Amino acid sequence: MDKQTITIYDVAREANVSMATVSRVVNGNQNVKPATRKKVLEVIDRLDYRPNAVARGLASKKTTTVGVVIPDVSNTFFSSLARGIDDVATMYKYNIILANSDGNDQKEINVLNTLLAKQVDGIIFMGHHITEEIRGEFSRSKTPVVLSGSIDPDHQVGSVNIDYKEATSDSVSLLAENGHKKIAFISGSLLDPINGKMRLEGYKKALKSAGIKYSEGLIFESEYNYKAGETLATRILNSGATAAFISDDELAVGILNGLTDAGVNVPDDFEIITSNNSLLTEIARPRLSSITQPLYDIGAVSMRLLTKMMNKEEVEEKTIILPYTISKKDSTK
Amino acid sequence: MDKQTITIYDVAREANVSMATVSRVVNGNQNVKPATRKKVLEVIDRLDYRPNAVARGLASKKTTTVGVVIPDVSNTFFSSLARGIDDVATMYKYNIILANSDGNDQKEINVLNTLLAKQVDGIIFMGHHITEEIRGEFSRSKTPVVLSGSIDPDHQVGSVNIDYKEATSDSVSLLAENGHKKIAFISGSLLDPINGKMRLEGYKKALKSAGIKYSEGLIFESEYNYKAGETLATRILNSGATAAFISDDELAVGILNGLTDAGVNVPDDFEIITSNNSLLTEIARPRLSSITQPLYDIGAVSMRLLTKMMNKEEVEEKTIILPYTISKKDSTK
DNA sequence: CTGAAAGCGCTAACAT
DNA sequence: ATGTTAGCGCTTTCAG
């Protein structure tokens, strides 16, 4: 890997000091006489010396690298989180090893293991659900872990999220207040803690306080993509629903376009509220009303939390809930 | 960083062999008696031994990680490339250190240096332009570099792209064939090699063969985002253009919506052809006709090329051009 | 087929 | 303030 052959030893020799001293100036240790420091820096510059981070990692047991497990970088939801993560990582001098898992349990395990083998100082994990096996790996590794935009059922590791239950409840209530009695709940797998537990609970809560009875027929599980939405549109109409809460923007736009193509007018005949307030909600016509999740911030805060954990600082609360808002646009009245 | 204290030495002792032998079985060296291998594997499993990749990297001078410099992960254009990169990286047992550069020259240099300090085995670079300084770093580092979706003016490093000039020319010709005389060219900075040289050349070429004279007034430089597009719409109308080639989808949708909101009917009054065929072109109404770039493949092929270079295999051609197509949808007639 | 031993380049006590 | 000396955990000759 290394092509440069200039080591700390070369610098030491050229500067007539010991490698310890060179190491000190490289690491900003104050116990170095200014004159010596200057001399060393001059040699470092002249020789174009670049400390070998691998050797450093081996000796110090710190790699200043954190592993990021992500279902899919090309999904804007996750890449927004990733951007927040990388920005604060950079701020704290860490680098990111990014690994796609496809949300696949086995891959998650594999990836986690290679990350740990690479001695990352910490891990940020994104995924729709945390399997028992993954949780087991987390606990026996001692490497700090933070879940970003994912729920940890028993708060063993750090996590940063919004309050999905409340956000969903608020959204559904908004629909209920507009007079809808048949409100569809359209989401990913109900087996996921966020979709199945938090969101569905929020949905039910809103129905309850609006005095609407829950009906299985209005619950739709779908993949999170545009095509799935287009296809789903007619099924939703057939269910008799006149409004829908949707947990993914791409899916929501698919449904919106599917509905529109079927001659349904949104919001006059059907109201929609989606969940991520991504650019898609702005592009769609009508523009989609949506929960606004601070995705970038969730990523940024996750990384900040992780830096504290890696630094062994005391963290008062490692389950962080960030605020959300509801952005009313043109798909609701 | 490491919490596990089980080293190769522990395994060696437990298995009554030398660490050299353990190393051999871990690395799949064939010179190990099956019985010995079995015994070692059994101990590895029992002790839950996981080789320390950092130590391995120091000793072998190979980190099996590659650095990826990306302007912005949260931009779908780049994250699509990134996904292709990571998938083949995984396939070849490499990991990815992802670093955002914001397309900022200084950050690119910084990031490149920390990547090299981390002893990455290779680098994939994405960016709109390659500065002299960056090129200088590339050449003196000896670490293999591949540009993904970026042009290298003098083919010093590997690169994977489509033929931007031809793709643009084809698109503009399509517009010209539909009878348009005033075709706008809307792109990012003309100082970028791709936008300024390749694409603009393609545009001019198409005009020429259609017998249309080039006019400065139809050239628009813009940022690549939705809002910029909306704003730009009226200026484009005022230019007298009746069709436009646009080099970014988000920008294109902004222009489309801006035009539509201004009462212009696309494609009857104005035709549009954009460049990335992303999901946005599908979501927009009317759906946008577009050049289809194999983004995922560009990333995948880049990484594949890099693996060859890292492996010191002979590569016949390190400047790879992938095919594109033109996908006609509803924004052209 | 297996072991011994010398590093890889750097950090971190421990001395001085 | 600076130098000495062990390692960090693993790969890799070189012997045998």
Side-chain angles (χ1 to χ4, degrees):
Chain A
M1 66 207 195
D2 88 318
K3 326 297 174 170
Q4 52 154 38
T5 334
I6 325 123
T7 73
I8 197 174
Y9 185 75
D10 299 316
V11 177
R13 186 168 24 71
E14 284 288 313
N16 292 310
V17 295
S18 70
M19 34 189 303
T21 299
V22 177
S23 176
R24 289 192 184 94
V25 350
V26 166
N27 291 296
N29 185 314
Q30 287 307 303
N31 290 41
V32 180
K33 200 195 306 178
T36 315
R37 174 188 310 282
K38 184 161 175 295
K39 183 174 57 179
V40 172
L41 285 174
E42 187 272 324
V43 174
I44 285 179
D45 196 53
R46 179 156 57 78
L47 263 44
D48 197 25
Y49 166 68
R50 177 189 290 143
N52 180 323
V54 174
R56 233 207 275 227
L58 184 58
S60 69
K61 299 187 172 305
K62 282 190 187 345
T63 53
T64 62
T65 300
V66 321
V68 176
V69 180
I70 192 171
D72 180 11
V73 236
S74 62
N75 174 308
T76 48
F77 179 87
F78 295 115
S79 66
S80 299
L81 294 176
R83 187 62 215 258
I85 292 167
D86 189 54
D87 280 359
V88 351
T90 299
M91 200 174 299
Y92 286 88
K93 311 286 185 202
Y94 282 93
N95 283 105
I96 286 307
I97 295 189
L98 211 281
N100 291 93
S101 70
D102 284 319
N104 176 111
D105 297 352
Q106 191 51 54
K107 275 196 192 173
E108 286 176 348
I109 302 273
N110 292 158
V111 146
L112 187 62
N113 277 311
T114 93
L115 252 22
L116 292 174
K118 295 223 168 168
Q119 314 300 121
V120 294
D121 296 337
I123 288 182
I124 299 237
F125 190 95
M126 310 177 211
H128 291 302
H129 58 270
I130 313 297
T131 63
E132 273 310 319
E133 200 174 355
I134 278 280
R135 193 171 316 125
E137 299 284 344
F138 284 164
S139 46
R140 70 196 182 84
S141 89
K142 284 187 212 148
T143 300
V145 175
V146 172
L147 304 182
S148 194
S150 305
I151 292 292
D152 170 31
D154 39 58
H155 302 206
Q156 289 307 295
V157 298
S159 70
V160 181
N161 290 285
I162 63 165
D163 186 333
Y164 294 105
K165 178 176 174 184
E166 283 308 306
T168 304
S169 174
D170 286 358
S171 308
V172 175
S173 291
L174 189 151
L175 261 16
E177 282 158 19
N178 284 358
H180 294 282
K181 297 300 175 197
K182 295 196 140 202
I183 302 169
F185 175 85
I186 306 164
S187 189
S189 168
L190 296 180
L191 296 176
D192 295 349
I194 291 180
N195 290 324
K197 194 163 178 338
M198 317 291 291
R199 284 189 168 127
L200 193 54
E201 267 180 11
Y203 171 76
K204 288 178 177 169
K205 177 186 165 193
L207 290 193
K208 187 164 206 170
S209 64
I212 300 173
K213 71 170 196 307
Y214 173 81
S215 159
E216 282 275 332
L218 293 170
I219 307 300
F220 297 86
E221 281 185 84
S222 168
E223 301 216 343
Y224 285 163
N225 64 64
Y226 181 77
K227 275 279 168 258
E230 279 194 327
T231 311
L232 205 55
T234 51
R235 279 186 50 210
I236 295 169
L237 280 181
N238 291 338
S239 74
T242 59
F245 164 81
I246 305 171
S247 66
D248 178 78
D249 288 354
E250 200 177 313
L251 178 61
V253 179
I255 291 171
L256 168 65
N257 284 354
L259 250 26
T260 304
D261 291 351
V264 176
N265 182 297
V266 174
D268 292 342
D269 306 336
F270 197 101
E271 292 188 54
I272 290 176
I273 186 158
T274 180
S275 302
N276 304 334
N277 202 48
S278 66
L279 177 68
L280 299 186
T281 64
E282 205 61 35
I283 285 174
R285 287 303 143 99
R287 297 180 311 143
L288 293 168
S289 296
S290 176
I291 294 172
T292 293
Q293 294 189 52
L295 297 180
Y296 179 92
D297 294 347
I298 290 177
V301 170
S302 300
M303 186 63 207
R304 180 63 185 108
L305 172 60
L306 187 61
T307 61
K308 287 181 185 166
M309 291 167 70
M310 293 187 295
N311 208 26
K312 304 206 187 315
E313 292 173 30
E314 266 318 307
V315 279
E316 53 306 324
E317 180 55 66
K318 58 180 187 176
T319 298
I320 299 179
I321 303 296
L322 259 30
Y324 64 86
T325 59
I326 306 262
S327 173
K328 295 186 195 176
K329 295 182 194 163
D330 312 325
S331 66
T332 51
K333 285 190 268 197
Chain B
M1 66 206 197
D2 87 318
K3 327 294 174 172
Q4 51 153 37
T5 333
I6 326 121
T7 73
I8 195 173
Y9 186 74
D10 299 316
V11 177
R13 187 169 21 72
E14 285 288 314
N16 293 309
V17 296
S18 70
M19 32 188 302
T21 298
V22 178
S23 176
R24 288 192 185 96
V25 348
V26 166
N27 292 295
N29 186 314
Q30 287 309 303
N31 291 43
V32 181
K33 200 196 304 177
T36 315
R37 174 188 311 282
K38 184 159 176 295
K39 181 174 59 179
V40 172
L41 285 174
E42 187 271 324
V43 174
I44 285 180
D45 197 51
R46 178 155 57 77
L47 265 43
D48 196 25
Y49 166 68
R50 177 191 290 142
N52 179 323
V54 173
R56 232 208 272 229
L58 183 58
S60 69
K61 300 189 172 304
K62 284 192 187 339
T63 53
T64 63
T65 103
V66 321
V68 175
V69 180
I70 192 171
D72 180 11
V73 236
S74 63
N75 174 308
T76 49
F77 179 87
F78 294 115
S79 65
S80 299
L81 294 176
R83 187 61 216 259
I85 292 167
D86 190 54
D87 280 359
V88 351
T90 300
M91 199 174 299
Y92 286 89
K93 310 287 185 202
Y94 282 94
N95 283 105
I96 286 308
I97 296 189
L98 210 282
N100 290 93
S101 70
D102 284 319
N104 175 110
D105 298 351
Q106 191 51 53
K107 276 195 190 171
E108 286 176 348
I109 302 273
N110 292 158
V111 145
L112 186 62
N113 277 309
T114 93
L115 252 22
L116 292 173
K118 296 224 167 167
Q119 315 300 121
V120 294
D121 295 337
I123 288 182
I124 299 238
F125 189 95
M126 310 178 212
H128 290 303
H129 57 271
I130 313 297
T131 63
E132 273 309 320
E133 200 175 356
I134 277 281
R135 191 168 320 123
E137 299 284 344
F138 284 164
S139 46
R140 70 197 182 81
S141 90
K142 283 187 213 149
T143 300
V145 175
V146 171
L147 303 182
S148 194
S150 306
I151 292 292
D152 170 31
D154 38 61
H155 302 206
Q156 290 305 295
V157 298
S159 69
V160 181
N161 290 284
I162 64 164
D163 186 333
Y164 294 105
K165 178 175 173 182
E166 283 307 308
T168 304
S169 174
D170 286 359
S171 308
V172 176
S173 291
L174 189 151
L175 262 14
E177 281 159 19
N178 284 359
H180 295 281
K181 297 300 175 195
K182 293 195 140 200
I183 302 170
F185 174 86
I186 306 166
S187 189
S189 169
L190 295 179
L191 297 176
D192 295 349
I194 291 180
N195 289 323
K197 195 165 177 341
M198 317 292 290
R199 284 190 168 124
L200 192 55
E201 267 180 11
Y203 171 77
K204 287 178 178 169
K205 177 185 166 195
L207 290 193
K208 187 164 203 171
S209 63
I212 301 173
K213 72 170 194 307
Y214 173 80
S215 159
E216 283 274 331
L218 293 171
I219 308 300
F220 296 86
E221 282 184 83
S222 168
E223 302 213 345
Y224 285 162
N225 64 64
Y226 181 78
K227 275 278 166 261
E230 279 194 327
T231 312
L232 205 56
T234 53
R235 279 186 50 209
I236 295 168
L237 280 181
N238 291 339
S239 74
T242 58
F245 164 81
I246 306 172
S247 65
D248 178 77
D249 289 353
E250 199 177 316
L251 179 60
V253 180
I255 291 170
L256 168 64
N257 283 355
L259 250 26
T260 303
D261 292 351
V264 176
N265 181 297
V266 174
D268 291 344
D269 307 335
F270 197 103
E271 292 188 53
I272 290 177
I273 185 158
T274 181
S275 301
N276 304 334
N277 202 47
S278 65
L279 177 68
L280 299 186
T281 64
E282 204 61 35
I283 285 175
R285 287 302 143 98
R287 296 179 312 142
L288 293 167
S289 296
S290 177
I291 294 171
T292 293
Q293 294 189 50
L295 298 180
Y296 178 92
D297 295 346
I298 290 177
V301 171
S302 301
M303 186 64 206
R304 180 62 184 109
L305 173 59
L306 187 62
T307 61
K308 287 181 184 166
M309 291 166 70
M310 293 187 295
N311 208 27
K312 304 205 186 317
E313 291 174 31
E314 266 317 308
V315 279
E316 54 307 323
E317 181 55 68
K318 57 181 187 176
T319 298
I320 300 179
I321 303 295
L322 260 29
Y324 63 86
T325 60
I326 306 263
S327 172
K328 295 186 195 177
K329 296 182 195 162
D330 313 326
S331 65
T332 50
K333 287 189 269 196

